[in-house]
Amino acid sequence: MEIIVCKTKEEASRKAAALVAALVKKNPKAVLGLATGSTPIPLYKELIALNKAKKISFKQVRSWNLDEYWGLPPTHDQSYRYFMDTNLFDHVDIAKKSTHVLNGLAKDAAKECAAYEKAIKAAGGIDLQVLGIGSDGHIAFNEPGSSLASRTRLVSLTPQTVKDNSRFFKKAADVPRYALSMGVGSIMEAKRVVLLAFGANKAAAVAGAVEGGVSQFCTASALQMHPDAWFFCDAAAAAKLKLRKYYTVRGEEALARELA
Ligand code: F6R
């Protein structure tokens, strides 16, 4: 696990974007795993700028998103399909048909999730998975208590996540209680994982994920077992890491080697 600690989320996002860009340059047909929420927005802005400057092309890139609210149509302005279109896909040269988001209106959730996993496998698996982290340590919608071997499935959101996400909706009662989500086991199969964490309300989750025990109570802690996981944090999100100075030096060295 490499941990890059930056002063701001913009700087952290620029560094994370450099890793994504290096992959896409090396492998123009890369398979990206993508996340929604407020965290990856500055990363997506960086990727849009790199694409507009013709430094990277997404023409042959394929993508699969982590999750989708159960019951929201793709046209709903809080659906994750809508989020991806408006925050990334509509602004880069990716082919829309190569972008995949779970269908929140699928009649048979289990069938939808199984087909999603099968399609990822058929594409050769995810080369780089972008992740945010919930204030309770969740990745995708793998809430505390999710098996670390879990696969893509229908999940119920904790009251904390509903509360956290209510900022995007008119009122808390509008936040869906269920979602389709890739599992921890599915995420662990990505060849590389890039987790972004910004703000003081993520500090406890980041400390639990990096320095706590591996536990289904903080599903991001499973990434301790991943052979190629990168955390990009701003200073506030890294504030509770005991060894943050050491990680910063080691992480910057690792990043420089990667980008050389
Ligand atoms: C989104 C996702 C979630 C978020 C997490 C943090 O696709 O899978 O795990 O990454 O809830 O959300 P924000 O970034 O809004 O703080």
Side-chain angles (χ1 to χ4, degrees):
M1 195 182 250
E2 295 297 351
I3 297 135
I4 315 284
V5 184
C6 300
K7 280 205 181 92
T8 64
K9 63 180 176 189
E10 287 76 19
E11 189 191 339
S13 303
R14 237 181 348 264
K15 289 182 177 169
L19 264 195
V20 179
L23 167 71
V24 172
K25 270 188 205 155
K26 198 167 140 204
N27 175 10
K29 291 185 177 173
V31 177
L32 297 181
L34 298 174
T36 57
S38 54
T39 306
I41 290 177
L43 167 70
Y44 295 156
K45 283 193 177 141
E46 286 293 328
L47 295 178
I48 292 167
L50 289 169
N51 184 241
K52 292 222 183 303
K54 302 214 178 315
K55 294 202 170 127
I56 49 170
S57 169
F58 292 91
K59 272 194 184 125
Q60 300 180 77
V61 165
R62 290 152 298 159
S63 75
W64 272 266
N65 261 76
L66 284 170
D67 39 20
E68 178 59 285
Y69 285 120
W70 180 240
L72 289 195
T75 47
H76 190 288
D77 66 2
Q78 291 308 323
S79 78
Y80 286 170
R81 161 53 74 181
Y82 187 92
F83 174 99
M84 288 311 301
D85 286 350
T86 52
N87 285 289
L88 182 63
F89 300 150
D90 287 348
H91 309 288
V92 295
D93 58 355
I94 199 162
K96 252 327 157 50
K97 65 173 176 13
S98 304
T99 69
H100 306 84
V101 182
L102 284 151
N103 176 7
L105 294 184
K107 285 205 181 77
D108 185 334
K111 211 165 151 191
E112 169 71 9
C113 294
Y116 202 72
E117 292 235 353
K118 206 170 155 196
I120 293 173
K121 216 175 204 160
I126 287 171
D127 293 308
L128 186 152
Q129 176 67 59
V130 175
L131 294 174
I133 184 168
S135 63
D136 61 5
H138 70 229
I139 46 174
F141 276 134
N142 294 291
E143 299 284 34
S146 299
S147 161
L148 300 185
S150 51
R151 309 300 309 184
T152 307
R153 69 211 183 284
L154 180 65
V155 296
S156 65
L157 309 185
T158 59
Q160 181 63 49
T161 297
V162 170
K163 190 170 161 236
D164 287 350
N165 290 3
S166 63
R167 69 192 194 278
F168 300 116
F169 290 81
K170 281 197 195 86
K171 50 185 192 307
D174 293 342
V175 186
R177 263 55 180 173
Y178 297 91
L180 298 178
S181 175
M182 280 172 67
V184 182
S186 333
I187 292 167
M188 290 292 284
E189 284 170 8
K191 292 171 193 105
R192 168 168 283 176
V193 172
V194 169
L195 183 146
L196 306 162
F198 307 137
N201 70 326
K202 301 293 174 72
V206 168
V210 176
E211 293 177 339
V214 174
S215 156
Q216 63 174 8
F217 201 69
C218 171
T219 53
S221 67
L223 299 173
Q224 292 176 26
M225 307 291 286
H226 193 285
D228 193 15
W230 296 71
F231 278 42
F232 290 84
C233 305
D234 67 1
K240 292 197 165 135
L241 287 172
K242 292 190 193 84
L243 294 188
R244 74 179 169 280
K245 286 196 182 133
Y246 163 66
Y247 303 140
T248 306
V249 174
R250 195 186 67 182
E252 289 294 348
E253 285 171 0
L255 189 61
R257 275 196 304 276
E258 272 302 304
L259 300 175

